[in-house]
Amino acid sequence: MALKKVKGNIERMFDKNLTDLVRGIRNNKENEAKYITQCMEDIKQELRQDNLTVKGNAIAKLTYLQMLGYDISWAGFNVIEVMSSNKFTLKRTGYLAASQSFHCDSELLMLTTNMIRKELNSQNQYDAGLALTSLSCYISTDLARDLSQDILTLLSSTKPYIRKKAVLMMYKVFLKYPEALRPAFPKLKEKLEDPDPGVQSAAVNVICELARKNPKNYLSLAPVFFKLMTTKTNNWMLIKIIKLFGALTPLEPRLGKKLIEPLTNLIHSTSAMSLLYECINTVIAVLISISSGMPNHAASIQLCVQKLRILIEDSDQNLKYLGLLAMSKILKTHPKSVQAHKDLILQCLEDKDESIRLRALDLLYGMVSKKNLMEIVKKLMVHMDKAEGTIYRDELLAKIVLICSQNNYQFITNFEWYLTVLVELAQMEFGSKQGHVIAAQLIDVSIRVQAIRSFAVAEMAQLLEFYASNSQFSIMQDVLYSAAWLCGEFASELKEPEASLIAMLKYKSLPPHIEIVFIQNILKLYACCLMKYELAQDYDKICGMYEVTQRKLENSLKSPEIEVQERASSTLMILEVVHCEVMAKKGVKTEQIMEDFDLPIDAEVDKGETVAMQLLNLFNGDLNPVAPKAQKKVPIPEGLDLDSFIEEPDFGENEYSSDSDYEIKGNLFVKDSNERNSKPELTEEEKVKIREARKNEQMNNPHYLKSSNKKYEDIPVAELQLDVPLKVLSKRSDKYLKFDNGAKKSRKNKRSKKHKVESSTDDDNELVNKTLMVNQNLELPEGATLSDSEGSVGNPDDPHRALDIDLDLPGLDEKKLADSPQPESNKIKSKKKKHNKIKKDKSVAAAAAAAKQPGDDGENKKKMKKSKDKKEKTKKKKSKELSNEYEEALGISTPSKEFP
């Protein structure tokens, strides 16, 4: 035996420890994987030895390798063996390895239950602390259930080190085993008044985390937390307490009235920005909950806004972001207090940090009113010209549209201005992903506001003409969708439908969903022009229009998209039928004139008899906006099975039975190399033409950076002598802003000069600026309403979901005790109680029968009522006493009328 010990000690001298492993990995960077593989083999050899010190050294090295990403789950039994060592140094190594390699679903955890229980009951506080720290990393439901009572007893330990760790560990136990919360809550409540500040802080942290789900359970702790908030100076504890009060205030408004004063004192006195932010957040929550009962809170709001302005003006980006975030919360309830700082919010749009710019945009959304809408949108559009980054520019564009369209265009007083802004945005941001947003807004405004349709259609007609005349794409393609749709749908509002039809027939290569709309609305414009020509009996123009339209639509028949082909084919067939009908009517008319010379050539034609009227009848009817989720609310008809086949497929045996009947030659999805290279090669002349065309396109493209060999120093500078000063061209939407400012000045003049006669220009201003009616009717299926909303489903992965329990209700254990069979002694006691109750009832009934006499029924009823009234009064007194005790504990003094 002695020789074996000596031999083992000699071998240990040559074993590699953790330091040697780290040094070896650094020295073998080129062959690191090979070196670690060799070390793994050495570690496995060490784990086979009987010496726990050698195994502890091997587990330490495995722990380091696990940090590098290597799997050590195969060494779970060895880790547990080292954890059970009597030496603290080896035990610490084992528990560290367990906290890194074990998880709540590990199968080996069942072997650790008794070992951890033994450590928790150890007299050495460091052994118990080590077990608690490690257990928190891999605690499972079974471990939480088995060890909850042992951890609960540690809350009464005489050592603050153990009590603090046990309090924090109880939170992990509650997450895995929520039934432990009821028996542990009284002891947890006691730890809030623990003499050790570390234990107090741990208890506050645990209760604040528990209150995330059901803060009502912890409302009774408000007096204790109020005392801690007014006496403690630990900022981190104060932050937790103030957060908890923010959750409790909506449940108890009287609490909010008491919190205002200490919170404002903290806001004035604290220099910690984190505590200041939480105080402001809680003050906002308090004022929201007690806004009806406490009207004089303007000073508190102004104080919060002033402190938030300091945060926003700070150079620290994190503080600036938090200031803007808190300001958005104040904006929801007190918009006027935030609107005074509009210039500061606009300055944040120039910040380098994109998240701060986006947060400032969210604030501007709530600061908009009828008076400042045009001004804010103008500044945002100017900022959009300077902004960089497509993502931010897209977000800015979407926010401008959202600001204007909120609450069914509540703040828009001039829809001509808004349509002009949309058109300018469409021309400003070519290539943006927000084109569909602008297109939807153009269609929505034109449908809802009937008085603006003529202006909207005129703008869209100009947009189409501009698109047709330019060779380069300088406008969002999705906006062409709305332009074509509006010009076709409201063709009667067009002054020159022929020009719009010619512009639409000049469309270039477009996405399929836009080309489909062009084809559909070309037919509508064709019908409108046909009506005009048919009434004028100008058949030559009808023939010319038909030929141009037919030629363009025939090109669309060659499109690779099936939907485009189908629309073009259907439209061509309709045009052919209509044209034949018009030509037939022309022949009948000429025959009538030849037969009857007295018939006038220029006789008027009735609209109802025209072919164009029959074509226009296809597009009659008003369109209303469709409500959101209207398609989901369409009821499924009875007898309709959406999962069944419309026609059962025939899976016959003879179908494709033999290979000779149905052979596939080659691969259907991959082309052969011969087919890929079968394209004809370009000649030199064609290559030169393509190159010249590309250079011309690059020269005309404003977004392409052109190289130049010219030296700008050699270019002479000539002075320009102009009689007229240069004028900077502004956007078309700016004239509405100037007009609005002029209208405001005229209103002021009217107030000062009441006795003067109003001018005609003022009348025109009022007519233009009057708020137009916005149609708010939404199409819905029969029986469906807008209030029918889908239920919100909670996050199933939320770890706090199990804590949503009511502590006032009995738990499962209490119910089991109530339902379990009672011992014989309890049965005898219950029988005696029942016997005594029966005797009392009999005596009461006999006394009532003896006292009852004819004519005394009314008196007996009065006595019964009096006894009931007394019972109710006693109950009310008890409830009042409880509420008074709660108020006195908090220091709340409120009139009894306000809280009966």
Side-chain angles (χ1 to χ4, degrees):
M1 291 293 293
L3 290 173
K4 284 185 178 180
K5 287 184 179 179
V6 171
K7 184 180 178 182
N9 292 332
I10 293 172
E11 288 177 354
R12 282 174 53 198
M13 291 175 60
F14 299 101
D15 288 342
K16 294 179 182 177
N17 57 14
L18 181 58
T19 307
D20 296 331
L21 176 68
V22 175
R23 190 182 294 115
I25 291 174
R26 291 177 179 174
N27 294 333
N28 292 273
K29 289 184 178 180
E30 296 179 358
N31 299 319
E32 182 178 333
K34 184 179 179 181
Y35 178 77
I36 290 176
T37 305
Q38 183 182 353
C39 290
M40 280 284 193
E41 294 297 328
D42 296 339
I43 290 170
K44 289 178 181 178
Q45 291 294 332
E46 292 173 3
L47 290 174
R48 292 191 185 100
Q49 297 186 21
D50 297 331
N51 196 328
L52 268 181
T53 306
V54 177
K55 289 184 178 181
N57 183 36
I59 293 299
K61 291 189 283 186
L62 281 178
T63 305
Y64 179 76
L65 292 176
Q66 194 270 344
M67 295 178 186
L68 298 179
Y70 291 90
D71 181 30
I72 64 168
S73 58
W74 52 269
F77 285 103
N78 304 109
V79 171
I80 294 174
E81 189 178 359
V82 175
M83 288 168 64
S84 63
S85 174
N86 293 325
K87 291 184 178 180
F88 182 76
T89 52
L90 297 179
K91 187 181 297 185
R92 183 174 57 184
T93 303
Y95 275 105
L96 175 62
S99 63
Q100 289 190 196
S101 59
F102 289 174
H103 53 85
C104 61
D105 297 326
S106 296
E107 296 178 356
L108 298 176
L109 290 181
M110 57 177 14
L111 304 176
T112 63
T113 305
N114 292 326
M115 182 178 60
I116 294 174
R117 181 180 284 120
K118 179 184 174 183
E119 301 294 345
L120 294 178
N121 296 324
S122 174
Q123 297 298 322
N124 188 350
Q125 63 176 349
Y126 298 110
D127 289 345
L130 182 63
L132 288 171
T133 304
S134 178
L135 181 61
S136 64
C137 298
Y138 51 80
I139 187 169
S140 63
T141 305
D142 294 334
L143 282 175
R145 184 184 63 249
D146 298 336
L147 299 175
S148 59
Q149 194 60 38
D150 298 286
I151 299 172
L152 190 59
T153 55
L154 293 178
L155 294 178
S156 304
S157 174
T158 57
K159 299 168 182 176
Y161 176 80
I162 296 295
R163 293 202 303 272
K164 180 176 67 174
K165 284 186 176 291
V167 168
L168 294 173
M169 187 62 216
M170 285 307 297
Y171 176 66
K172 291 284 189 176
V173 172
F174 297 150
L175 289 179
K176 295 294 181 180
Y177 184 60
E179 287 79 5
L181 181 57
R182 285 188 178 87
F185 184 67
K187 284 194 176 182
L188 197 61
K189 183 179 177 181
E190 291 174 3
K191 298 301 119 183
L192 290 173
E193 299 177 355
D194 195 277
D196 187 75
V199 179
Q200 262 188 347
S201 179
V204 168
N205 281 323
V206 169
I207 291 177
C208 287
E209 291 298 318
L210 292 173
R212 278 186 175 190
K213 269 297 175 187
N214 196 354
K216 185 181 177 182
N217 290 332
Y218 314 99
L219 192 59
S220 60
L221 302 178
V224 182
F225 281 115
F226 187 82
K227 182 181 176 182
L228 290 173
M229 186 181 71
T230 53
T231 56
K232 297 296 177 181
T233 57
N234 185 354
N235 285 342
W236 293 112
M237 186 189 291
L238 289 175
I239 287 172
K240 289 287 184 179
I241 293 171
I242 290 168
K243 274 187 175 182
L244 179 61
F245 275 133
L248 296 179
T249 303
L251 303 174
E252 181 55 77
R254 293 176 297 178
L255 180 62
K257 295 179 180 180
K258 186 63 180 174
L259 287 173
I260 288 293
E261 185 178 352
L263 286 176
T264 49
N265 291 337
L266 280 173
I267 291 172
H268 278 295
S269 60
T270 185
S271 59
M273 291 300 180
S274 55
L275 180 59
L276 175 65
Y277 175 73
E278 292 300 334
C279 289
I280 292 172
N281 264 343
T282 307
V283 167
I284 295 166
V286 167
L287 293 178
I288 290 172
S289 62
I290 64 174
S291 57
S292 59
M294 186 179 177
N296 300 323
H297 55 267
S300 302
I301 288 293
Q302 289 299 326
L303 174 64
C304 292
V305 172
Q306 289 171 6
K307 291 291 182 179
L308 288 177
R309 185 180 180 95
I310 295 172
L311 289 179
I312 295 172
E313 291 175 344
D314 198 280
S315 59
D316 189 354
Q317 300 291 341
N318 296 323
L319 294 178
K320 187 177 292 187
Y321 183 85
L322 290 175
L324 291 171
L325 188 63
M327 194 80 83
S328 62
K329 296 178 182 178
I330 298 178
L331 184 65
K332 295 176 183 177
T333 54
H334 302 81
K336 292 184 180 179
S337 301
V338 181
Q339 285 175 359
H341 303 274
K342 181 180 64 177
D343 296 335
L344 178 65
I345 307 303
L346 289 171
Q347 285 177 8
C348 292
L349 293 176
E350 306 294 336
D351 198 278
K352 295 179 181 179
D353 193 346
E354 187 173 336
S355 60
I356 291 176
R357 297 201 300 264
L358 293 175
R359 184 57 61 186
L361 282 176
D362 293 336
L363 266 175
L364 287 174
Y365 173 78
M367 295 171 64
V368 168
S369 63
K370 289 185 178 180
K371 294 180 181 179
N372 62 10
L373 175 64
M374 291 186 180
E375 181 185 356
I376 288 177
V377 171
K378 176 178 167 44
K379 290 182 178 179
L380 289 177
M381 292 180 72
V382 171
H383 175 65
M384 195 170 176
D385 287 334
K386 304 175 184 176
E388 297 179 356
T390 56
I391 297 175
Y392 176 65
R393 289 170 71 89
D394 287 346
E395 187 68 26
L396 194 57
L397 189 150
K399 192 62 68 175
I400 291 173
V401 173
L402 194 62
I403 285 172
C404 297
S405 62
Q406 59 180 313
N407 297 330
N408 289 325
Y409 313 102
Q410 178 185 359
F411 302 115
I412 295 180
T413 56
N414 193 330
F415 280 94
E416 290 187 7
W417 164 81
Y418 183 46
L419 286 172
T420 309
V421 167
L422 290 175
V423 173
E424 288 176 355
L425 288 174
Q427 294 175 339
M428 182 189 302
E429 276 296 290
F430 168 68
S432 172
K433 295 179 180 178
Q434 300 293 334
H436 65 282
V437 177
I438 296 178
Q441 280 293 294
L442 288 169
I443 294 174
D444 192 54
V445 171
S446 303
I447 291 174
R448 287 176 180 267
V449 188
Q450 295 184 3
I452 207 70
R453 281 181 187 171
S454 58
F455 179 81
V457 172
E459 287 288 317
M460 296 300 102
Q462 290 181 8
L463 208 61
L464 288 172
E465 291 174 7
F466 175 76
Y467 161 72
S469 60
N470 282 352
S471 59
Q472 298 294 329
F473 284 115
S474 58
I475 193 169
M476 295 180 187
Q477 291 186 341
D478 286 327
V479 177
L480 297 175
Y481 177 102
S482 60
W485 191 89
L486 288 173
C487 288
E489 187 65 29
F490 305 115
S492 58
E493 304 285 347
L494 286 169
K495 295 180 180 178
E496 297 180 356
E498 304 91 343
S500 300
L501 178 61
I502 293 170
M504 287 179 69
L505 288 172
K506 291 180 180 179
Y507 67 84
K508 312 171 189 71
S509 58
L510 291 171
H513 69 283
I514 300 177
E515 190 173 353
I516 289 166
V517 176
F518 266 71
I519 294 170
Q520 185 74 13
N521 290 279
I522 282 171
L523 181 61
K524 296 178 184 179
L525 283 173
Y526 183 89
C528 186
C529 295
L530 182 63
M531 171 66 77
K532 182 178 179 181
Y533 294 149
E534 201 171 353
L535 291 175
Q537 300 181 19
D538 194 345
Y539 294 101
D540 293 335
K541 288 186 177 179
I542 291 175
C543 293
M545 182 176 63
Y546 170 73
E547 291 175 0
V548 174
T549 308
Q550 184 186 28
R551 197 180 307 119
K552 184 62 180 178
L553 293 178
E554 284 176 351
N555 292 333
S556 295
L557 286 174
K558 303 173 185 177
S559 173
E561 296 292 330
I562 296 176
E563 185 70 17
V564 176
Q565 294 178 18
E566 191 272 334
R567 291 291 180 101
S569 176
S570 301
T571 305
L572 276 172
M573 292 298 295
I574 293 171
L575 289 179
E576 187 177 349
V577 171
V578 169
H579 187 68
C580 292
E581 191 70 21
V582 170
M583 291 298 105
K585 275 200 170 188
K586 177 187 176 184
V588 171
K589 182 88 175 184
T590 52
E591 289 178 3
Q592 289 177 355
I593 293 172
M594 292 296 293
E595 292 175 359
D596 190 359
F597 293 101
D598 297 332
L599 188 68
I601 297 174
D602 297 332
E604 292 185 0
V605 181
D606 188 10
K607 277 189 177 181
E609 297 178 357
T610 57
V611 179
M613 193 64 194
Q614 298 176 18
L615 183 58
L616 288 171
N617 286 335
L618 296 175
F619 314 115
N620 283 342
D622 295 331
L623 290 175
N624 286 326
V626 179
K629 298 182 181 178
Q631 186 66 33
K632 290 183 179 179
K633 297 179 181 180
V634 176
I636 298 175
E638 295 182 2
L640 176 62
D641 187 5
L642 297 176
D643 297 326
S644 62
F645 288 104
I646 296 175
E647 183 179 354
E648 289 291 336
D650 185 15
F651 299 105
E653 296 180 358
N654 297 327
E655 189 175 5
Y656 308 139
S657 57
S658 62
D659 296 336
S660 59
D661 296 337
Y662 185 75
E663 293 181 358
I664 301 175
K665 295 181 179 180
N667 198 330
L668 291 176
F669 303 102
V670 181
K671 291 184 178 180
D672 295 335
S673 57
N674 296 331
E675 293 181 5
R676 291 179 192 171
N677 301 327
S678 59
K679 294 181 181 178
E681 295 183 1
L682 298 176
T683 60
E684 289 296 330
E685 295 179 357
E686 290 175 344
K687 289 181 180 178
V688 170
K689 288 181 181 180
I690 292 172
R691 194 178 296 114
E692 290 178 356
R694 188 180 70 251
K695 288 182 179 179
N696 291 332
E697 184 183 355
Q698 292 174 358
M699 291 296 294
N700 296 326
N701 190 351
H703 302 286
Y704 186 82
L705 296 177
K706 306 168 186 65
S707 59
S708 177
N709 297 324
K710 294 182 180 179
K711 294 182 179 180
Y712 298 102
E713 299 173 355
D714 300 335
I715 300 175
V717 179
E719 294 184 0
L720 297 175
Q721 296 180 357
L722 300 174
D723 298 332
V724 181
L726 289 172
K727 183 180 180 181
V728 179
L729 295 175
S730 60
K731 295 181 179 178
R732 290 191 301 140
S733 58
D734 293 346
K735 67 179 180 181
Y736 296 100
L737 184 62
K738 295 175 183 177
F739 183 74
D740 187 59
N741 294 333
K744 290 179 183 177
K745 291 180 181 179
S746 65
R747 286 173 201 158
K748 291 180 181 179
N749 294 333
K750 283 181 186 178
R751 290 174 186 172
S752 59
K753 302 175 182 180
K754 292 182 180 179
H755 303 290
K756 289 191 176 182
V757 181
E758 296 180 353
S759 62
S760 61
T761 56
D762 293 335
D763 295 335
D764 295 337
N765 295 349
E766 290 176 1
L767 287 172
V768 173
N769 281 329
K770 70 178 181 179
T771 306
L772 300 176
M773 292 295 294
V774 179
N775 182 17
Q776 298 185 6
N777 296 327
L778 298 174
E779 292 290 342
L780 276 170
E782 293 183 4
T785 58
L786 284 173
S787 59
D788 295 339
S789 58
E790 300 175 358
S792 59
V793 181
N795 183 13
D797 299 329
D798 185 10
H800 305 89
R801 184 179 56 175
L803 298 176
D804 191 9
I805 57 176
D806 193 353
L807 294 178
D808 297 333
L809 298 176
L812 294 174
D813 298 336
E814 295 175 11
K815 286 183 179 179
K816 288 178 182 178
L817 288 172
D819 297 337
S820 62
Q822 298 179 355
E824 293 183 1
S825 60
N826 293 341
K827 287 182 180 179
I828 294 168
K829 289 179 182 178
S830 62
K831 284 182 180 179
K832 286 182 178 179
K833 286 181 181 178
K834 286 181 181 179
H835 184 66
N836 293 334
K837 280 185 179 180
I838 292 168
K839 279 186 176 181
K840 285 181 181 179
D841 293 340
K842 286 182 179 179
S843 61
V844 171
K852 188 176 180 182
Q853 293 183 4
D856 295 340
D857 293 342
E859 293 179 1
N860 292 331
K861 289 181 179 178
K862 288 179 181 178
K863 288 179 182 178
M864 295 291 287
K865 285 183 179 179
K866 285 181 180 179
S867 63
K868 286 181 180 179
D869 294 338
K870 284 182 181 179
K871 289 180 181 178
E872 290 178 358
K873 285 180 181 179
T874 54
K875 286 182 180 179
K876 287 183 179 178
K877 282 182 180 179
K878 286 182 179 179
S879 62
K880 283 184 178 180
E881 287 174 1
L882 288 171
S883 64
N884 290 333
E885 287 175 4
Y886 174 75
E887 291 176 5
E888 288 173 4
L890 267 175
I892 299 172
S893 56
T894 51
S896 58
K897 292 181 180 178
E898 192 170 351
F899 300 100

